[in-house]
Amino acid sequence: MDATKARVGWAGALLVGTLLLVLAACEDNGTGVVEDLVITTATTGIDIDPDGYVVAVQGLGSRPIGASGTVAFESVPSGSYVVGLTEIPANCTLAGENPRTVSTGSGDPLAGRFEVTCFPNEGTLEVTTTTGGGGIDPDGYMVEVAGTLSKTIGLNDLVTFSSVTLGEVTVELKDISGNCVVGDNPRTVTVALGETTSTTFTLDCDPNVGMDVTTVTNGISLPSAFTVMVEGEPNQSIGINGAVLFPELADGSYEVRLSLPGHCDVVEGLNPRSVTVSNGIGDTTFEVTCGWLVFNSDRTGNFDVFMMRYDGSGQRNLTNDPDNDEQQPVVSVNGTVAFAREPLSGGSEHIWVMNQNGTGLQQLTTGSTVSRAKEPHWSPDGSELAFTARITGDQWDIWVMNANGSNKRNLTDDAAFDGRAEWSPDGTKLAFDSDGDIYVMNADGSGIDFVTGGGGNPTWSPDGERIAFTGSTNGELDVWVVDADGSNRTRLAGFASAEDGEPAWSPDGTTIAFMSSRPGGRNTEREIYLMDSDGSNPRALTANNDQDMWPSWVPIP
């Protein structure tokens, strides 16, 4: 039975006491005749409890009875009995006495009929606002009840919700100007049947009104704060999910810019944007997503450099060059994109750079120093590029040059095929592959140490403790991880009859991007996937009829 039933009518304990008292005053009529004592209920109205009630009879105990039902106490000594109905819900009322005396035999046959009327299981809630101070927003507010009912409400106003479910409900005042403060919001109130429950929101508004700027941010590798710039005002720091007030601004239009690191962008609206202050008040909200990747795709007919957000949205072509083949993109901490470009019309691939928006294209390597160059990777501070190059023949080595292409120098010079070098997070070492094995060396090329066999495309974890790489399992390529000293080799991603590889660790270490030819999109072409750093939760970011490869994260400045 509903617990609210205990609040209505007389309590069960009181009924039992009453029954005992009346029972002592009632006697058998002495005839020795036994008859049936029949009790009926008839319930009408709304929100009737399907569980019904409990009927209690003197000396005969208690039994459940339906909301509109009949219970017979059979073959009981004829006479008068005290009968009561219990567990009546709070939204129902009983006509007549309860308990009452009911007689067998020639007694009043209507005495054993209990008539109940039920009302809607709802109550009324009044919400009041009281606003004081200066710089008051003339638009008022929005009040929301139980997350489903809402009404507009003025600055000093009262609104009524007439159909609120009984019990505890949440009440919240919304659309409050940034210069106003209200206590206990949201709050919980208890709505009772047949009563009007009231609650009042008291607001105090600062007369130093101005422009309220809010940020709402999601993604990965989240920074701690951004910078807000309002035309003609000092810059302010703002949390990634925060708000700041630029006070006492004259009415007019202002340019507002949110300064973001390279791996974050505004996903809704312009940045910068124009915000109007009227009657001393203005506001704007920047919705931000953090976590970008660059990758290759031949969806345009040849390989180009693309960017997309961590969730696969916002895909865009940065190079869009029909005459060239751009691959293996990486982004520096300064926002410069390096990649290998091979002219389709003929010639060798070389290292090029451009701005993160695709402008400022510049070639860094030429045939005057190396005949071919590919697989660039930036140093952590963005001052140098490691890359794979050869001078003559088929000997590929690890080279390093300054960010502007100067001071090219060869770090490895042997007959092995050395490639895909990547700096450690602290910039002191380089991991690379050589003839199908993974090695680590100092940043100047000295101290080469073997890490693990049967692998390539190494990528460091952000803490420098582990290296993810592409490894072979029974002839199939999978993503593996190994400690930097070569221990604890573990497979993270593998899919039967599919190729997984080219891992790239996210800057916050929580996620690994990789290339996979596994089924799951519209086809089995290579696509870009993400997985958690322990190999769980793989999910596709791209789904094309073409090749998407070589993912790399935009680093945190």
Side-chain angles (χ1 to χ4, degrees):
M1 294 292 180
D2 195 307
T4 60
K5 295 176 179 180
R7 299 197 300 266
V8 178
W10 34 277
L14 179 59
L15 171 62
V16 173
T18 304
L19 287 175
L20 291 176
L21 289 174
V22 178
L23 187 60
C26 295
E27 298 180 355
D28 188 356
N29 60 10
T31 65
V33 176
V34 292
E35 299 179 274
D36 293 344
L37 179 66
V38 179
I39 307 299
T40 63
T41 56
T43 304
T44 58
I46 300 175
D47 289 341
I48 298 171
D49 188 348
D51 293 337
Y53 320 109
V54 171
V55 60
V57 180
Q58 66 176 66
L60 303 180
S62 59
R63 296 181 186 178
I65 187 170
S68 292
T70 300
V71 167
F73 292 80
E74 299 175 343
S75 302
V76 300
S78 61
S80 297
Y81 294 85
V82 174
V83 182
L85 200 64
T86 66
E87 300 198 14
I88 304 171
N91 63 311
C92 301
T93 59
L94 173 65
E97 295 181 350
N98 190 30
R100 67 185 61 167
T101 300
V102 180
S103 299
T104 62
S106 60
D108 181 3
L110 296 179
R113 177 182 172 89
F114 288 82
E115 295 182 354
V116 180
T117 302
C118 295
F119 303 92
N121 194 28
E122 298 173 338
T124 301
L125 174 65
E126 289 183 348
V127 180
T128 303
T129 54
T130 302
T131 305
I136 295 172
D137 185 351
D139 293 335
Y141 320 107
M142 177 72 70
V143 60
E144 184 177 87
V145 176
T148 58
L149 306 174
S150 62
K151 290 185 178 183
T152 57
I153 187 171
L155 303 175
N156 299 281
D157 199 1
L158 182 148
V159 294
T160 301
F161 296 85
S162 58
S163 299
V164 181
T165 301
L166 302 183
E168 292 187 346
V169 296
T170 300
V171 184
E172 183 174 6
L173 196 65
K174 296 185 173 182
D175 295 344
I176 302 172
S177 178
N179 65 304
C180 299
V181 177
V182 57
D184 192 16
N185 184 38
R187 64 186 57 173
T188 300
V189 299
T190 301
V191 178
L193 179 71
E195 298 180 8
T196 298
T197 304
S198 299
T199 188
T200 299
F201 289 93
T202 301
L203 298 95
D204 183 21
C205 296
D206 189 336
N208 295 323
V209 296
M211 182 187 300
D212 190 42
V213 180
T214 304
T215 54
V216 178
T217 306
N218 58 53
I220 62 176
S221 303
L222 299 179
S224 59
F226 305 128
T227 299
V228 183
M229 294 172 283
V230 174
E231 179 183 354
E233 298 295 315
N235 297 343
Q236 291 195 47
S237 177
I238 186 172
I240 61 173
N241 292 289
V244 294
L245 179 69
F246 288 82
E248 299 179 339
L249 296 183
D251 286 0
S253 181
Y254 295 80
E255 182 181 270
V256 182
R257 179 189 299 271
L258 191 63
S259 179
L260 302 169
H263 71 295
C264 301
D265 76 318
V266 174
V267 296
E268 293 291 340
L270 298 176
N271 185 34
R273 64 185 56 171
S274 178
V275 180
T276 299
V277 174
S278 177
N279 296 320
I281 295 174
D283 65 86
T284 189
T285 297
F286 288 93
E287 296 184 25
V288 181
T289 294
C290 295
W292 281 86
L293 300 99
V294 289
F295 64 102
N296 291 134
S297 179
D298 67 352
R299 64 186 70 174
T300 58
N302 61 282
F303 277 107
D304 279 317
V305 178
F306 282 74
M307 287 189 72
M308 64 179 167
R309 299 187 186 98
Y310 78 102
D311 58 2
S313 64
Q315 296 184 28
R316 64 177 186 263
N317 190 336
L318 297 184
T319 50
N320 199 22
D321 189 338
D323 296 327
N324 292 289
D325 195 9
E326 286 101 17
Q327 298 191 55
Q328 305 149 353
V330 288
V331 184
S332 77
V333 71
N334 302 315
T336 302
V337 183
F339 59 96
R341 165 175 279 189
E342 180 180 359
L344 293 181
S345 57
S348 300
E349 70 264 48
H350 280 282
I351 305 300
W352 292 66
V353 293
M354 63 182 174
N355 298 323
Q356 196 167 310
N357 61 4
T359 63
L361 192 65
Q362 179 184 1
Q363 184 174 348
L364 295 188
T365 65
T366 64
S368 61
T369 305
V370 294
S371 61
R372 299 175 66 181
K374 61 181 181 179
E375 299 173 345
H377 191 272
W378 290 101
S379 62
D381 63 2
S383 65
E384 293 183 300
L385 268 169
F387 62 100
T388 306
R390 75 180 191 184
I391 299 177
T392 59
D394 294 328
Q395 179 177 321
W396 290 89
D397 291 312
I398 307 301
W399 287 65
V400 173
M401 63 181 168
N402 294 340
N404 61 3
S406 64
N407 192 25
K408 298 178 178 68
R409 52 207 187 272
N410 188 347
L411 298 188
T412 65
D413 186 5
D414 56 62
F417 190 121
D418 299 333
R420 193 59 178 172
E422 180 172 314
W423 256 286
S424 62
D426 62 5
T428 63
K429 295 183 180 297
L430 286 162
F432 65 101
D433 57 49
S434 179
D435 283 352
D437 297 324
I438 294 176
Y439 292 82
V440 169
M441 64 181 173
N442 295 327
D444 61 2
S446 65
I448 298 177
D449 293 320
F450 174 82
V451 176
T452 190
N457 309 125
T459 179
W460 295 84
S461 62
D463 60 8
E465 297 294 324
R466 293 170 292 170
I467 296 174
F469 61 96
T470 305
S472 178
T473 307
N474 299 324
E476 294 182 354
L477 295 181
D478 296 322
V479 177
W480 291 72
V481 67
V482 66
D483 290 351
D485 63 4
S487 62
N488 297 321
R489 177 172 170 143
T490 305
R491 188 175 72 163
L492 290 186
F495 196 92
S497 302
E499 175 185 354
D500 292 331
E502 301 170 5
W505 229 302
S506 65
D508 64 357
T510 63
T511 309
I512 295 176
F514 64 102
M515 172 277 299
S516 179
S517 63
R518 64 182 63 189
R522 293 182 294 176
N523 52 66
T524 57
E525 300 293 342
R526 293 179 178 89
E527 306 291 353
I528 306 300
Y529 278 72
L530 290 188
M531 62 180 168
D532 295 345
S533 59
D534 62 0
S536 64
N537 191 27
R539 60 269 193 198
L541 297 187
T542 66
N544 300 286
N545 293 319
D546 303 289
Q547 304 288 345
D548 293 338
M549 305 170 63
W550 293 100
S552 181
W553 293 90
V554 176
I556 301 175

